[in-house]
Amino acid sequence: MDAKGFEVRFISELKGRGVFANKSFKSGDTIFEELPVVCCQFSWNIAYKYAACNFCMRPLETTQDNVRRLSGQKALVLPYPECCPTDSSSHAGQTDGLEYCLESVPDAAWRQFHQTLCVGTEADCQSHPLQRLDEAWRQMHFPPETASVMLIAQMIATVRQAEDPEAAINILSFCHRSRSEEQQLAHKLLGDQFTSQVDLLRQLLIEALYADCVQQWLTPDGFVSLLALVGTNAQGVGTSPLSMWVSRVAALPLCPEDRANIDTFIDGLYDTLHEEGGVAEVGQFLNNEGAGLYALQSRCNHSCRPNVEVTFPHNSSRLVVVATQDILPGEEVCISYLDECVLARSRHSRHRLLRENYLFVCTCPKCELEAGDPDETSEESDNDSNSSEQD
Ligand SMILES: [Zn+2]
Ligand SMILES: [Zn+2]
């Protein structure tokens, strides 16, 4: 009945809504693709000169430049340059200090917020409240970053420029929680030592972006709601000219000798990047990193035994949800909010993380099955299971 192959359905007061398959999917099939409602690169990632389009996250560096920068080896020459995904002519250049790709600039969605977020010429940049907001955020969020206050700035800009601001607010209102739950989530996002600065962020946002149509988000409670929303719904986005080059090289029809040579080269390259190279100095990340809010993906509930995964095969912020096992009509489509190592831990550990970060108790099939297990955290000698609380 539904050509899309899935639908969003109300489950219960407690669980809210979820995404359900209404046809069969094979493992590896795409369930859906979507562009973010808002998306931005992380502040430190930009500060460390990771070059990505500020709208679509597409890399703006050639693979060779990327590898030279990350390894600190200025003369490094990358073989198979034809596998580089980045064409220097695709770079539209800077607009008020931020970089954009050529494809994004004519995009209507780009115009949706850029006009509002434009901070003017280089000279005006430093003193602009948005720059001060970004600066304040960076002081609260050292790498690894998990979210960005600029997502909130983009949400506000999107509503301000929308023809129907109220409809835009509705699209961006992902969840409804109690005030104390929101406080808890906002504090979790900022870190305890920074909670006193919530009001600084809010004041800077008001200074930069206040308009009557967004005033509900700029009250003390409204702003905490936004932080909670970003904290629980922001999806990490990573792009890299290197990983794209590596997968294109892997697909080349090479003779065994050339294949062996390039494999050795790539292994050595990654060793250099991880060990001796500049990666440690530039914040210990290889990728352009950012986060986005996705209307449909954020409707997918968590399971400790997920049947889909979130991927970014286009090397941009376009998200693709792919089945990791066969899915039958009527089955709920579930992603995991926890990464793979955490998923491998005991029910007790998983529950603690889900409770702290997302405020819910997981009742997925795996958790139900393990419900009788003792609460030991066994060999999980990780830094986040040594707090002394218990279930
Ligand atoms: Zn772009
Ligand atoms: Zn579970």
Side-chain angles (χ1 to χ4, degrees):
M1 47 165 243
D2 193 327
K4 289 195 302 241
F6 63 88
E7 63 183 5
V8 177
R9 209 189 284 166
F10 177 78
I11 305 174
S12 67
E13 264 326 309
L14 192 66
K15 289 195 82 176
R17 286 182 278 187
V19 176
F20 291 81
N22 50 23
K23 66 171 198 137
S24 315
F25 290 97
K26 290 266 166 242
S27 178
D29 284 354
T30 293
I31 313 282
F32 62 83
E33 293 199 20
E34 75 176 320
L35 290 169
V37 185
V38 289
C39 175
C40 64
Q41 197 180 347
F42 290 142
S43 296
W44 280 107
N45 202 256
I46 296 174
Y48 282 126
K49 308 256 179 269
Y50 283 74
C53 171
N54 187 56
F55 181 67
C56 72
M57 286 287 292
R58 202 170 281 143
L60 293 174
E61 238 176 355
T62 63
T63 309
Q64 178 165 287
D65 286 347
N66 177 254
V67 166
R68 283 180 175 179
R69 179 173 60 82
L70 293 174
S71 67
Q73 297 177 6
K74 305 275 176 266
L76 192 148
V77 176
L78 201 72
Y80 305 109
E82 68 276 17
C83 292
C84 168
T86 326
D87 175 356
S88 54
S89 68
S90 66
H91 190 176
Q94 284 203 349
T95 321
D96 49 81
L98 294 168
E99 317 261 340
Y100 294 95
C101 78
L102 262 186
E103 261 179 76
S104 291
V105 169
D107 194 292
W110 181 72
R111 289 196 298 273
Q112 121 195 332
F113 64 81
H114 180 261
Q115 192 186 325
T116 307
L117 295 184
C118 188
V119 295
T121 62
E122 195 87 46
D124 311 328
C125 274
Q126 301 308 323
S127 56
H128 195 285
L130 278 177
Q131 294 294 321
R132 286 187 281 133
L133 176 70
D134 202 35
E135 188 71 44
W137 179 260
R138 260 205 307 281
Q139 294 316 312
M140 301 181 201
H141 277 266
F142 294 96
E145 298 171 271
T146 54
S148 169
V149 76
M150 295 316 278
L151 278 181
I152 291 177
Q154 280 193 15
M155 289 168 75
I156 292 172
T158 301
V159 170
R160 278 187 48 170
Q161 291 188 213
E163 271 174 36
D164 182 350
E166 214 165 305
I169 284 192
N170 281 334
I171 292 171
L172 291 164
S173 302
F174 288 174
C175 51
H176 299 278
R177 298 175 188 277
S178 70
R179 179 116 54 94
S180 66
E181 285 179 327
E182 286 181 336
Q183 288 282 3
Q184 199 179 327
L185 290 167
H187 285 196
K188 183 80 193 170
L189 178 68
L190 292 179
D192 286 337
Q193 67 271 45
F194 298 118
T195 51
S196 59
Q197 294 180 48
V198 172
D199 222 51
L200 168 68
L201 297 176
R202 189 174 71 88
Q203 291 301 341
L204 287 168
L205 269 171
I206 290 173
E207 215 179 303
L209 297 172
Y210 183 85
D212 286 345
C213 61
V214 290
Q215 59 173 324
Q216 67 185 85
W217 279 345
L218 294 171
T219 63
D221 284 348
F223 183 58
V224 164
S225 299
L226 278 187
L227 287 173
L229 184 151
V230 166
T232 47
N233 291 286
Q235 163 69 49
V237 179
T239 64
S240 149
L242 175 59
S243 61
M244 196 60 137
W245 176 85
V246 168
S247 59
R248 287 184 181 181
V249 166
L252 288 176
L254 298 180
C255 69
E257 194 192 340
D258 288 349
R259 176 59 63 199
N261 285 340
I262 189 65
D263 284 350
T264 308
F265 174 84
I266 291 173
D267 287 348
L269 185 59
Y270 275 112
D271 285 348
T272 307
L273 295 183
H274 286 297
E275 288 156 25
E276 311 142 38
V279 175
E281 282 156 46
V282 293
Q284 291 168 326
F285 33 79
L286 281 175
N287 296 343
N288 304 319
E289 291 178 359
L293 293 175
Y294 293 83
L296 196 53
Q297 175 262 359
S298 67
R299 293 284 181 221
C300 294
N301 288 310
H302 164 87
S303 169
C304 302
R305 195 183 281 154
N307 52 11
V308 297
E309 66 181 355
V310 168
T311 65
F312 294 93
H314 305 293
N315 216 19
S316 73
S317 58
R318 175 181 278 274
L319 170 152
V320 181
V321 169
V322 176
T324 51
Q325 60 187 60
D326 294 352
I327 298 174
L328 295 171
E331 231 179 288
E332 185 173 3
V333 170
C334 291
I335 58 178
S336 172
Y337 299 171
L338 304 173
D339 68 33
E340 262 172 65
C341 353
V342 178
L343 274 187
R345 294 189 202 161
S346 72
R347 175 176 180 271
H348 176 74
S349 289
R350 300 195 307 269
H351 275 211
R352 195 170 50 72
L353 286 165
L354 290 169
R355 195 176 55 229
E356 281 176 7
N357 294 299
Y358 301 96
L359 305 184
F360 75 93
V361 176
C362 187
T363 56
C364 77
K366 185 173 174 180
C367 286
E368 296 289 277
L369 201 67
E370 294 171 6
D373 290 3
D375 268 356
E376 290 149 15
T377 16
S378 60
E379 307 109 70
E380 289 143 9
S381 54
D382 50 80
N383 45 18
D384 45 32
S385 64
N386 53 15
S387 58
S388 60
E389 65 185 286
Q390 311 200 338
D391 261 340

